């Protein structure tokens, strides 16, 4: 999910009453709720190699366990540093390292839990397993979750400032409402995938090997449906739309997009181009297109059905060339 959602989640968790457990409790929750995204620094590598590092170890057991320990140490140091300089706010609660660590763990865990919900994916078990997990439930930026968290946080803070005793209850209601919304979206995704699998089988006579209900912005009751078919000719994909309040089955697009690049050329492309290797490691539904022979070898284009836009060819993909000389050399090996 986006960092605003993570930050708001940390703040609402603080309004449950957790921020009262220790000084710097609220700021610790907010920072920890964004902490696993420190792997965004992988972007300095350039190209698509950061895809192989994003949403990996910092979102897995080691990251969730160790990053909060580092954050706790920084917060304790900051509190003492302010105290020595005479800058520590007099109304700040005493800082308890144990509670700070607990809040940091809660915030970091909330981050990875939310990231599992969308179709981008997260390697929740890294480094023990590089398997990607996908919820296909919530779009990466969901304005309805934004609205619920912002309104709930504002009401809770307002009631706390007014001296109302139920300010924590408002935050609890917000958490329950957002959780119910996520659960409902999970049911919509489940229905969309089941209906699509049945519809594709009825129209083609074959059941798809993979069906993905891709959430779309704003309209949470709709899904962009993607499915994968495999036969003796290779892999193909279909696409359509699901509408919860429309037809019980999605409208199917008859045009299938084929993976045109032979497996041996894919292997060669991965061997000579680290961007290709990183992109295919991340990709869930790769579309591989042979763009033809050039003076330097075979030109290929790789995209992913989840983020593919036929009107914007360079939106999110990678181009590569498999050199003919390399092709021949590796082929002999």
């Amino acid at each position: 999910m986006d960092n605003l959602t993570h930050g708001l989640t940390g703040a609402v968790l603080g309004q449950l009453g957790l921020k009262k457990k220790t000084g710097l409790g609220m700021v610790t929750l907010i920072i920890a709720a964004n902490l696993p995204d420190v792997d965004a620094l992988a972007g300095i590598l350039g190209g698509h190699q950061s895809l192989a590092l994003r949403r990996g170890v910092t979102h897995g057991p080691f990251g969730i366990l160790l990053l909060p320990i580092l954050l706790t140490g920084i917060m304790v140091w900051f509190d003492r540093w302010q105290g020595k300089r005479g800058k520590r706010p007099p109304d700040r609660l005493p800082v308890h390292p144990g509670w700070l660590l607990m809040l940091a763990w809660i915030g970091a865990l909330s981050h990875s839990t939310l990231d599992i919900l969308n179709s981008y994916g997260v390697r929740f078990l890294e480094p023990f397993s590089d398997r990607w997990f996908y919820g296909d439930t919530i779009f990466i930026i969901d304005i309805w979750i934004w609205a619920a968290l912002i309104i709930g946080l504002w009401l809770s803070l307002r009631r706390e400032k007014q001296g109302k005793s139920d300010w924590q209850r408002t935050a609890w209601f917000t958490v329950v409402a957002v959780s119910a919304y996520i659960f409902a979206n999970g049911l919509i995704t489940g229905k969309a995938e089941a209906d699509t699998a049945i519809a594709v089988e009825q129209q083609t006579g074959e059941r798809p090997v993979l069906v993905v209900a891709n959430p779309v912005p704003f309209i949470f009751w709709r899904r962009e449906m993607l499915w994968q078919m495999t036969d003796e000719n290779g892999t193909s994909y279909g696409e359509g739309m699901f509408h919860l309040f429309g037809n019980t089955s999605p409208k199917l697009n008859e045009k299938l997009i084929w993976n045109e690049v032979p497996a041996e050329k894919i292997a060669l492309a991965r061997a000579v181009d680290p961007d290709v290797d990183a992109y295919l490691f991340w990709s869930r539904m790769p579309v591989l297109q042979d763009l033809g022979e050039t003076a330097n070898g075979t030109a290929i284009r790789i995209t992913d059905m989840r983020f593919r836009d036929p009107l914007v060819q360079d939106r999110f993909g990678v181009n590569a060339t498999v050199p003919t000389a390399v092709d021949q050399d590796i082929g002999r090996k």
Side-chain angles (χ1 to χ4, degrees):
M1 303 293 289
D2 65 287
N3 291 106
L4 177 58
T5 299
H6 288 305
L8 289 170
T9 298
V12 170
L13 290 174
Q15 288 303 114
L16 296 179
L18 293 176
K19 69 179 185 180
K20 295 295 186 180
K21 300 297 184 181
T22 175
L24 297 177
M26 178 65 100
V27 67
T28 297
L29 279 164
I30 294 173
I31 294 175
N34 284 281
L35 195 56
D37 273 347
V38 68
D39 61 3
L41 295 174
I44 63 177
L45 294 176
H48 292 84
Q49 297 177 58
S50 62
L51 290 174
L53 300 176
R54 287 300 313 272
R55 295 201 179 188
V57 67
T58 61
H59 290 65
F62 281 1
I64 294 174
L65 177 66
L66 299 179
L67 288 175
I69 295 176
L70 176 62
L71 176 61
T72 298
I74 292 174
M75 300 308 288
V76 170
W77 168 84
F78 177 74
D79 181 71
R80 293 175 178 174
W81 178 78
Q82 279 194 317
K84 291 179 180 179
R85 290 170 55 90
K87 301 293 185 179
R88 189 183 191 280
D91 58 345
R92 177 185 295 165
L93 294 172
V95 168
H96 298 287
W99 267 114
L100 274 182
L101 180 58
M102 183 62 66
L103 298 187
W105 276 333
I106 292 172
L109 185 59
S110 75
H111 183 107
S112 293
T113 301
L114 286 173
D115 275 358
I116 290 177
L117 297 176
N118 55 57
S119 62
Y120 186 98
V122 60
R123 303 198 305 279
F124 195 64
L125 299 179
E126 192 77 45
F128 304 106
S129 170
D130 59 8
R131 175 188 172 188
W132 289 88
F133 291 83
Y134 312 93
D136 300 334
T137 298
I138 302 294
F139 189 66
I140 195 169
I141 298 176
D142 191 298
I143 62 168
W144 307 111
I145 291 181
W146 276 6
L149 292 175
I150 290 172
I151 293 173
L153 179 62
W154 176 73
L155 289 175
S156 180
L157 289 169
R158 183 169 179 265
R159 297 188 72 79
E160 181 185 12
K161 186 176 181 180
Q162 293 174 342
K164 303 289 186 179
S165 60
D166 62 346
W167 59 273
Q168 296 179 37
R169 189 183 309 166
T170 303
W172 277 107
F173 178 81
T174 301
V175 170
V176 170
V178 171
S179 298
Y181 172 78
I182 292 172
F183 180 76
N185 271 273
L187 295 179
I188 294 172
T189 287
K191 177 175 173 55
E193 292 179 346
D195 286 0
T196 298
I198 293 172
V200 172
E201 186 174 17
Q202 288 175 344
Q203 292 194 18
T204 66
E206 298 182 20
R207 199 168 185 86
V209 297
L210 175 64
V211 178
V212 174
N214 211 21
V216 298
F218 311 121
I219 313 173
F220 66 84
W221 54 89
R222 296 183 65 180
R223 295 291 186 273
E224 177 191 21
M225 301 309 303
L226 309 169
W227 60 89
Q228 177 182 327
M229 308 287 285
T230 303
D231 57 25
E232 65 277 4
N233 295 317
T235 300
S236 61
Y237 295 111
E239 53 188 343
M241 291 298 297
F242 173 85
H243 194 303
L244 180 63
F245 304 109
N247 297 327
T248 56
S249 297
K251 180 179 180 181
L252 306 182
N253 185 336
E254 296 180 356
K255 182 178 180 182
L256 297 178
I257 302 174
W258 291 86
N259 279 344
E260 303 170 344
V261 183
E264 59 271 17
K265 285 198 173 183
I266 298 173
L268 294 175
R270 299 186 78 157
V272 301
D273 192 332
D275 275 357
V276 171
D277 189 55
Y279 193 93
L280 288 175
F281 171 73
W282 163 84
S283 182
R284 184 182 184 187
M285 305 180 81
V287 178
L288 304 121
Q289 298 170 289
D290 190 330
L291 302 181
E293 296 298 322
T294 68
N296 298 320
T298 303
I300 63 174
R301 170 75 177 166
I302 307 174
T303 55
D304 190 288
M305 283 294 294
R306 296 170 297 167
F307 305 100
R308 188 174 184 276
D309 188 341
L311 299 179
V312 186
Q313 291 297 326
D314 293 326
R315 179 183 176 209
F316 193 38
V318 58
N319 291 321
T321 300
V322 183
T324 303
V326 174
D327 192 327
Q328 294 173 349
D329 290 343
I330 298 181
R332 284 195 296 269
K333 294 180 181 179

